[in-house]
Amino acid sequence: MADVLHLRGPVVLDDDRVVGEAWVVGGRLTLTRPAGGGGTAVDGWVLPGLVDVHCHIGLAAEGAVDRATAEAQAVADRDSGVLLVRDAGSPADTGWVHDRDDLPRLIRAGRHLARPRRYLRHYGRELDAVTDLPRAVGEEAVRGDGWVKLVADWIDRDLGPEGDLRPLWPDDLLASAVATAHAAGARVTAHTFAGEALDGLLDAGVDCLEHATGADARQIDRIAAAGIPVTATLLQVAQFGAIADRADRYPVYAARMRRMHARRYAHVRDLHDAGVPLLVGTDAGGTIAHGRIADEAAEMVAAGLPAREVAAAASWRTRAWLGVPGLDEGADADLVVYDADPRADVRVLGAPRAVVLRGRRVV
């Protein structure tokens, strides 16, 4: 029984099911006591492995990182309890992570698709012609793991002092690009700060929205009616004020960023109250350190969301949405154990007692 773990719960399976105990046998979860004994006991509240649904393994402030740095990023995520990452765009090829049993499961979106001078340097794949978008989406759909990432809006500095967030793509090309991805069996998520790009994205049938800080009440209702999830990325939005302070040459843009920063909590409450599914993503990589899932969850609670909803979004609900098993009978055992119930206080997420990945305890 050396390879058996006895999870002496409570064990939270999903919104409606909590059981008293479970076991890990041969790397897989079972709710049936194994013959021959109970195995090594692990006590505490057990949740399916956490999900960071907006994360950038392989990316730092200046662009792509080497493999050793990317590995350290993945380990930081893993040790925080994040055992599933949807990588929301990376200039580095991180396909090698799939071959590492000691690193989180990774769902890659390929490279961000953007335009020259219309995104962060060295981050995205910059398309010289907007008409290249559908073809590029098809290529990234093949390169990734079922997701494509579009940069839908960014500051247009060519407007001088009037520079502000503007859409990158015409609506008809957005529709063609999303259709291309869907035909290839991939889903599309889009970076969007401003509201001007949102209607075109919704008309195109986009599958997910990142940030969506500029959505107005009408657009929020559209997002909710379509059932499209939004990744709130409150750790990132918390930086909008500092971004505005560095943008003194673009006062219109700076003023907009300050407005979105000031009402970031109210905006997330509005999304939640309208029924928009909210996802938990740190936007790690770039300027935000990896391993901060607990901080992002705490920000969402600070915005007024119930801790129970945030814990579910950080774990089993998003696993189901991504098509990855949680604590299902016979599934690979990816789970995190805590001293107390994170559904009552998400701050508990910051101190996992044990982390079990693919049936092996790594923390």
Side-chain angles (χ1 to χ4, degrees):
M1 303 300 292
D3 63 340
V4 174
L5 297 179
H6 182 195
L7 307 171
R8 302 194 301 197
V11 181
V12 181
L13 303 179
D14 54 33
D15 284 323
D16 304 314
R17 297 180 299 154
V18 179
V19 298
E21 56 187 347
W23 290 263
V24 178
V25 181
R28 298 187 178 275
L29 185 99
T30 181
L31 302 181
T32 302
R33 177 184 291 272
T40 302
V42 180
D43 296 325
W45 286 82
V46 181
L47 266 64
L50 303 185
V51 184
D52 191 336
V53 80
H54 188 128
C55 190
H56 303 281
I57 293 174
L59 176 68
E62 300 304 319
V65 301
D66 59 25
R67 183 173 292 201
T69 304
E71 177 180 347
Q73 293 173 339
V75 168
D77 292 325
R78 181 200 70 188
D79 290 354
S80 74
V82 169
L83 304 183
L84 175 61
V85 168
R86 187 193 63 171
D87 194 299
S90 177
D93 181 359
T94 54
W96 56 270
V97 174
H98 295 319
D99 299 325
R100 291 281 299 272
D101 288 344
D102 60 329
L103 298 180
R105 301 179 193 275
L106 180 63
I107 299 174
R108 297 170 301 132
R111 296 197 69 174
H112 311 71
L113 293 175
R115 300 289 315 286
R117 290 176 43 82
R118 296 298 303 280
Y119 195 51
L120 296 164
R121 292 183 64 192
H122 311 305
Y123 277 35
R125 176 181 171 185
E126 298 180 351
L127 306 182
D128 290 327
V130 293
T131 51
D132 290 339
L133 181 64
R135 175 183 56 79
V137 162
E139 293 168 353
E140 295 301 325
V142 172
R143 185 174 294 123
D145 299 321
W147 281 92
V148 176
K149 172 72 173 294
L150 303 180
V151 178
D153 58 55
W154 197 253
I155 183 173
D156 187 347
R157 296 179 179 84
D158 291 340
L159 299 176
E162 297 300 313
D164 197 3
L165 296 169
R166 293 288 183 266
L168 270 66
W169 318 103
D171 289 351
D172 60 336
L173 285 172
L174 279 178
S176 178
V178 172
T180 298
H182 290 171
R187 290 189 275 182
V188 178
T189 194
H191 161 105
T192 172
F193 285 163
E196 288 88 336
L198 272 171
D199 286 310
L201 290 168
L202 296 172
D203 291 342
V206 72
D207 301 285
C208 187
L209 295 167
E210 310 303 314
H211 321 296
T213 44
D216 61 24
R218 177 188 61 80
Q219 291 168 327
I220 288 174
D221 287 342
R222 284 197 67 188
I223 296 167
I228 297 172
V230 171
T231 313
T233 63
L234 280 168
L235 291 175
Q236 180 62 262
V237 183
Q239 300 186 126
F240 279 16
I243 292 171
D245 290 343
R246 297 193 298 269
D248 54 298
R249 290 189 297 165
Y250 307 102
V252 177
Y253 165 77
R256 188 201 291 248
M257 296 298 280
R258 290 191 178 98
R259 289 194 302 271
M260 292 190 296
H261 175 264
R263 71 174 316 272
R264 63 193 185 280
Y265 289 160
H267 180 68
V268 169
R269 284 197 303 274
D270 289 347
L271 289 165
H272 176 263
D273 292 348
V276 174
L278 288 169
L279 306 177
V280 184
T282 62
D283 208 352
T287 59
I288 295 175
H290 286 256
R292 296 190 61 191
I293 193 74
D295 294 334
E296 181 67 28
E299 279 288 278
M300 294 176 75
V301 171
L305 274 63
R308 179 175 291 264
E309 294 291 304
V310 175
S315 180
W316 58 89
R317 285 188 193 166
T318 303
R319 283 181 163 269
W321 178 67
L322 289 170
V324 178
L327 296 182
D328 301 332
E329 182 71 32
D332 285 346
D334 292 350
L335 57 94
V336 194
V337 185
Y338 300 97
D339 287 332
D341 185 359
R343 300 174 305 167
D345 184 352
V346 296
R347 291 175 297 180
V348 172
L349 296 175
R353 170 181 283 189
V355 177
V356 177
L357 174 62
R358 297 178 175 91
R360 183 171 67 89
R361 184 167 180 174
V362 293
V363 174

